[in-house]
Amino acid sequence: MNPDVNPDVPGEEVGSGNGNVDPGTPGEEVNPGENVNPGVPGEEVVPGGEVVPGEPGEEVNPGIPGEEPNPTSSNSDPTPASSDSEPVIESSSEVALGPTEKSYAFGYALKNAPRPSKGCGKNSTLVKTKSVENGDRFEMNINGENREYFITLPSNYDNKKPYKLLFAMHCMGSNAEDFVHHFADQDHPSPYYGQQKLDTEGNYIFVAPRGDTDGMPWSMYSDKDHKFFDKLLTTMEDNYCIDTTRVFVTGFSFGSMYSYSLAEEFQERVRAVVTYAVADYNIYEPHNSGTEKQLPIAWMNVHGKNDGTCPYNTALTSALPRVLKKNGKASDGDSKFTDASSEKPQEVGGSGHLCYDFKNVDERFPVKWCSWNGSHQWTAFDNGSWQNTWVPEEVHKFFEQF
């Protein structure tokens, strides 16, 4: 996963990891460079933030988006509905699945009861096309194109128990199979961005879709990958027992661009997105096509301040405020969300890292910004090397708050 494009300046050569691709000329290889040393031992303390080299900080604000009414299409109507097997959640009424659980016009209460998908109680009808030691490959056709994806089920999978669902999006130089079949390195310390190892109770189903249909990891000009995700999510919900209120997406570099792009359109079906080295351009983005939904979504980003491939300052001044603008505390205590983009994160000033939880966002839709003194690498660390990364545990806590 080391190589990637510089989404900031097409045609500019950038050295990172094992080499990068000139985004102005897809497929052109440039000289590899070494990653910047992300930090030296030492602890930095900044009021309101958290800096503990080698140790993840504490989560503050939990949050929840809802799910899309029609699982096969997008809809900007902020009133969530669910699949046929799920109870309809009415605004300003108590949820049938939990007498103390408050319902909302959009989204779900904190620690809400699971909402089972159509696949609960059923056996999957999907036919695998390949097996490796940590998962199975499947394929589907989207508008005449064959698309592949890998699924990893927990060893104790029970089709009557609703599972959390995590999608891992690959970057340039990698592919879906790398999440299930790869030797350990700085981009693959353990499967699915380190999240499978932390799922010690077997509460997650993991999916790795593959892009690579038009010479780039994910489409730069077409919504084809959004249509792929839409159908893939529906396929998972129809064939496995999924908690439709706990669907998560994560990705690095080009995978983070794709994840962020999905966060602009699938707020009704995806609860939280975590990106590593995000960029909100150089890829198909709903905010450029008029399909962006003005709805909040829980979001976390990890970014090296010396990243020359997906520049830190551009993410800070573009991708971050775009999310905050939709995630502010609801003025009515329900779903009239406000603009929180005036709040700025505290950032790491020296060695180590700093994760900042935004204070002015709605508690059901938290935003977390983690800066570290490194470059274009998702396995951020404070001391030593990538084996000491604090990122997987920090991300796991972010997902688990829901």
Side-chain angles (χ1 to χ4, degrees):
M1 285 191 191
N2 289 326
D4 228 318
V5 301
N6 182 345
D8 190 37
V9 184
E12 178 179 345
E13 295 188 355
V14 181
S16 175
N18 291 332
N20 291 288
V21 172
D22 175 358
T25 309
E28 179 179 346
E29 184 175 335
V30 299
N31 293 330
E34 295 292 330
N35 283 332
V36 176
N37 185 344
V40 295
E43 176 176 346
E44 178 183 0
V45 180
V46 180
E50 45 175 310
V51 184
V52 183
E55 298 180 7
E58 302 239 337
E59 295 291 334
V60 177
N61 296 326
I64 310 160
E67 73 175 283
E68 185 169 332
N70 183 346
T72 60
S73 63
S74 298
N75 191 328
S76 60
D77 182 356
T79 303
S82 44
S83 61
D84 294 342
S85 64
E86 300 176 36
V88 176
I89 309 303
E90 300 292 344
S91 177
S92 303
S93 64
E94 294 300 314
V95 177
L97 294 181
T100 62
E101 184 181 319
K102 183 179 178 180
S103 60
Y104 296 88
F106 178 73
Y108 295 90
L110 303 178
K111 297 295 183 180
N112 64 284
R115 307 297 197 267
S117 69
K118 291 181 179 180
C120 292
K122 301 178 182 178
N123 293 323
S124 172
T125 61
L126 300 179
V127 178
K128 63 184 178 182
T129 58
K130 180 180 179 179
S131 291
V132 293
E133 70 273 12
N134 189 46
D136 297 317
R137 185 184 69 188
F138 300 85
E139 299 176 22
M140 64 170 58
N141 188 278
I142 307 290
N143 296 330
E145 285 189 320
N146 191 55
R147 307 300 300 263
E148 69 176 43
Y149 56 98
F150 284 80
I151 299 175
T152 299
L153 298 175
S155 58
N156 60 346
Y157 176 71
D158 177 356
N159 69 6
K160 296 180 178 62
K161 168 188 172 181
Y163 289 83
K164 301 168 188 178
L165 180 62
L166 176 64
F167 289 88
M169 307 305 185
H170 68 82
C171 75
M172 181 172 284
S174 186
N175 59 58
E177 188 168 347
D178 286 340
F179 288 110
V180 296
H181 185 64
H182 201 285
F183 60 88
D185 63 19
Q186 71 175 29
D187 286 332
H188 314 86
S190 67
Y192 297 99
Y193 290 111
Q195 293 308 300
Q196 185 183 356
K197 182 178 180 180
L198 296 175
D199 180 31
T200 57
E201 297 180 356
N203 292 324
Y204 285 75
I205 293 175
F206 298 93
V207 182
R210 181 169 185 172
D212 302 322
T213 59
D214 55 4
M216 297 298 284
W218 302 100
S219 181
M220 297 174 65
Y221 310 110
S222 165
D223 66 350
K224 63 164 65 177
D225 292 326
H226 280 233
K227 293 177 179 177
F228 176 33
F229 178 80
D230 188 43
K231 184 173 180 179
L232 178 53
L233 176 52
T234 299
T235 297
M236 293 300 300
E237 292 177 343
D238 287 350
N239 283 275
Y240 300 98
C241 192
I242 304 297
D243 177 358
T244 61
T245 71
R246 292 177 174 89
V247 176
F248 307 123
V249 177
T250 187
F252 167 58
S253 197
F254 232 113
S256 78
M257 298 181 209
Y258 180 39
S259 300
Y260 186 90
S261 179
L262 293 174
E264 292 189 346
E265 186 176 356
F266 287 88
Q267 296 97 317
E268 292 151 316
R269 303 187 71 187
V270 174
R271 189 156 186 173
V273 169
V274 172
T275 53
Y276 316 105
V278 74
D280 60 347
Y281 48 91
N282 213 44
I283 194 172
Y284 170 81
E285 292 284 359
H287 67 254
N288 291 326
S289 63
T291 58
E292 179 183 9
K293 294 182 179 178
Q294 298 305 310
L295 296 170
I297 190 168
W299 181 59
M300 172 181 174
N301 184 55
V302 178
H303 219 121
K305 296 193 74 175
N306 300 310
D307 193 328
T309 304
C310 296
Y312 176 88
N313 286 335
T314 306
L316 180 69
T317 58
S318 182
L320 174 59
R322 197 185 304 279
V323 171
L324 292 174
K325 190 173 183 179
K326 297 180 286 189
N327 279 42
K329 294 178 181 178
S331 60
D332 61 349
D334 193 315
S335 300
K336 292 184 178 179
F337 304 102
T338 56
D339 184 347
S341 60
S342 62
E343 184 177 0
K344 308 303 179 185
Q346 294 179 0
E347 306 169 61
V348 67
S351 62
H353 73 279
L354 191 157
C355 287
Y356 179 81
D357 296 289
F358 282 80
K359 311 301 186 293
N360 297 330
V361 296
D362 193 278
E363 65 174 3
R364 298 186 295 124
F365 301 94
V367 176
K368 191 178 191 72
W369 183 266
C370 293
S371 57
W372 69 294
N373 187 26
S375 60
H376 194 61
Q377 178 179 339
W378 80 264
T379 46
F381 57 92
D382 300 315
N383 300 304
S385 62
W386 61 266
Q387 287 92 339
N388 300 320
T389 182
W390 46 265
V391 175
E393 290 187 3
E394 196 76 35
V395 171
H396 187 69
K397 287 194 299 180
F398 189 78
F399 287 144
E400 283 297 288
Q401 70 184 303
F402 304 110

